[in-house]
Amino acid sequence: MKIILNPNPNPASDADRAAKVAQGGFGKHYTDNMVLAQWSEASGWSDAELKTYGPLSIDPATSVLHYGQEIFEGLKAYIQPNGGVSLFRPEANAERFRRSAARMALPELPMQDFVRTVEALVNHERAWVPKNFGESLYIRPFMFASEIGLGVRPSNQATYIVITTPASAYFNPGKAVTVWISTEYVRAAPGGTGEAKTGGNYAGSLLAQKQAAAEGCDQVVWLDAMERKWVEEMGGMNLFFVKGAGQGATVFTPKLTGTLLAGVTRSSVLQVAQDLGYKVEEVMISVDDWHRGVNSGEITEIFACGTAAVVTPVGAAKSAQGTWPTGDGNPGPITNQIRQTLLGIQHGTIEDKHGWNKRVS
Ligand SMILES: *Cc1c(COP(=O)(O)O)cnc(C)c1O
């Protein structure tokens, strides 16, 4: 895939860009450019074009608007100590994008084309990468069915786009979230699309998110669809639990059953926790295990992780059975240590032993 550079002739001024970066948030402002490529069954992938960020003109009968055949990714670029910029594990996102495409009957984008288009855009927009620890340039690659027509079948045309937005810390890291354990709604069922990063999984989750908010909670915890017993994920993040304290602690997470989304952060946290000397486990965790564990004090900390927020402490869970605080409800020491270590690796201030950072500028 050739990348044709046709950048925005009127990019934001230094002052305008600085003001937008300083505002932070998540997805509030987008950078000057985007990358776009088209696929058709007849001719495969087009060249990619780096061009001015802006609205798309879409026929009302475009397939994605009706049947939701769409996938996306989320990854970040971090400022490095010498002023350079690195991507965090982009190959892992490229590989997952390929798997999501296969599940959603979209064309597979070769991994090197995913990585090269992301690198090209981030390199071009490097002035938009925030300079503070914990901040980043969030990258959103996505692909959708762009065939025009209402026939229900895999689209014979697809559009791939990459956009970027400066991001401050997504959740306040000092504040633990409260979660609502939903027994009424499910996110994913065996044989469904839970393993794919597709918009429909999110669309189906919003009513439960609304219910969580009505219960005074920040996020939803999803249980398995079959027994409504096994803990799967929290909103769009993977969950972790800590048993015990100090160097003898065990860090464990729900095992991937085919209905969970395999987070890049999840896999990084498993490795970082092990590197820090903790025992790590991927196991089945029931709601009862959760309840009993926090009640007896065996479970000392709970946190969620994902690219957007990195690591977010879970201070309490609420369900139809009652409210169960985690410890004293404040972020725990192992949660903080893992968060700081992962962010340190991403920002190049802690040794990147596993070769996760990919330098782009
Ligand atoms: C994206 C996502 C995650 C987190 O994945 P990361 O690769 O760590 O960002 C977890 N759960 C769901 C449902 C997701 O969509």
Side-chain angles (χ1 to χ4, degrees):
M1 181 179 272
K2 230 173 47 207
I3 303 171
I4 296 163
L5 299 181
N6 189 12
N8 189 336
N10 298 304
S13 67
D14 287 353
D16 184 20
R17 189 180 59 238
K20 286 173 170 167
V21 171
Q23 260 194 38
F26 184 75
K28 208 181 282 173
H29 299 289
Y30 295 87
T31 62
D32 300 304
N33 295 279
M34 61 185 181
V35 166
L36 192 150
Q38 306 272 8
W39 174 90
S40 76
E41 203 167 75
S43 33
W45 285 104
S46 69
D47 290 339
E49 187 183 6
L50 186 153
K51 61 178 193 176
T52 303
Y53 180 96
L56 308 171
S57 172
I58 288 216
D59 190 288
T62 300
S63 181
V64 67
L65 300 178
H66 304 274
Y67 306 127
Q69 194 189 358
E70 185 268 356
I71 59 170
F72 67 95
E73 269 304 325
L75 67 161
K76 282 177 167 178
Y78 290 90
I79 196 84
Q80 301 298 296
N82 59 4
V85 173
S86 284
L87 294 168
F88 186 70
R89 304 187 71 181
E91 294 86 2
N93 297 90
E95 167 56 20
R96 188 171 63 193
F97 199 61
R98 200 188 56 69
R99 291 197 310 267
S100 297
R103 177 63 184 84
M104 299 307 290
L106 281 163
E108 292 184 22
L109 177 69
M111 278 175 62
Q112 71 270 23
D113 291 332
F114 178 100
V115 174
R116 283 176 52 244
T117 48
V118 166
E119 278 175 350
L121 184 59
V122 170
N123 185 34
H124 193 87
E125 306 290 51
R126 59 189 177 273
W128 286 87
V129 179
K131 305 281 185 284
N132 298 320
F133 192 86
E135 300 178 347
S136 58
L137 187 67
Y138 181 81
I139 305 145
R140 169 54 60 87
F142 60 105
M143 191 202 298
F144 60 89
S146 43
E147 181 179 355
I148 297 164
L150 300 182
V152 181
R153 59 170 181 276
S155 180
N156 63 18
Q157 285 177 46
T159 301
Y160 166 69
I161 302 181
V162 188
I163 56 176
T164 48
T165 173
S168 51
Y170 187 71
F171 291 107
N172 175 353
K175 187 189 164 286
V177 297
T178 300
V179 296
W180 171 249
I181 300 179
S182 179
T183 47
E184 190 175 351
Y185 302 109
V186 294
R187 189 191 83 91
T193 57
E195 261 183 331
K197 219 164 166 70
T198 180
N201 290 341
Y202 280 75
S205 78
L206 298 176
L207 183 58
Q209 178 61 41
K210 227 166 127 172
Q211 193 177 50
E215 295 287 346
C217 296
D218 306 291
Q219 292 284 331
V220 186
V221 165
W222 301 108
L223 304 179
D224 78 290
M226 306 299 280
E227 298 179 70
R228 309 281 166 102
K229 169 178 172 182
W230 304 105
V231 175
E232 296 203 330
E233 301 193 53
M234 180 194 97
M237 301 172 78
N238 295 112
L239 276 168
F240 275 86
F241 299 78
V242 179
K243 228 171 5 195
Q247 273 309 304
T250 300
V251 175
F252 62 109
T253 189
K255 130 174 162 189
L256 301 176
T257 58
T259 49
L260 282 77
L261 197 291
V264 177
T265 319
R266 176 185 180 279
S267 109
S268 309
V269 165
L270 282 169
Q271 185 64 60
V272 163
Q274 203 177 323
D275 293 348
L276 290 170
Y278 301 113
K279 191 164 171 239
V280 301
E281 288 175 351
E282 297 174 75
V283 290
M284 301 295 286
I285 301 159
S286 71
V287 178
D288 278 349
D289 295 337
W290 183 330
H291 189 184
R292 271 201 307 268
V294 290
N295 258 359
S296 71
E298 196 193 4
I299 293 175
T300 48
E301 302 180 33
I302 304 175
F303 62 90
C305 71
T307 296
V310 188
V311 166
T312 299
V314 175
K318 189 175 173 191
S319 76
Q321 276 80 54
T323 299
W324 319 325
T326 317
D328 63 5
N330 289 313
I334 294 176
T335 301
N336 285 334
Q337 184 192 23
I338 289 173
R339 181 173 199 281
Q340 288 306 109
T341 306
L342 192 51
L343 272 171
I345 295 169
Q346 290 166 331
H347 277 288
T349 58
I350 292 177
E351 190 197 348
D352 174 24
K353 282 190 247 180
H354 304 286
W356 286 338
N357 289 335
K358 187 153 208 274
R359 199 55 187 269
V360 294
S361 81

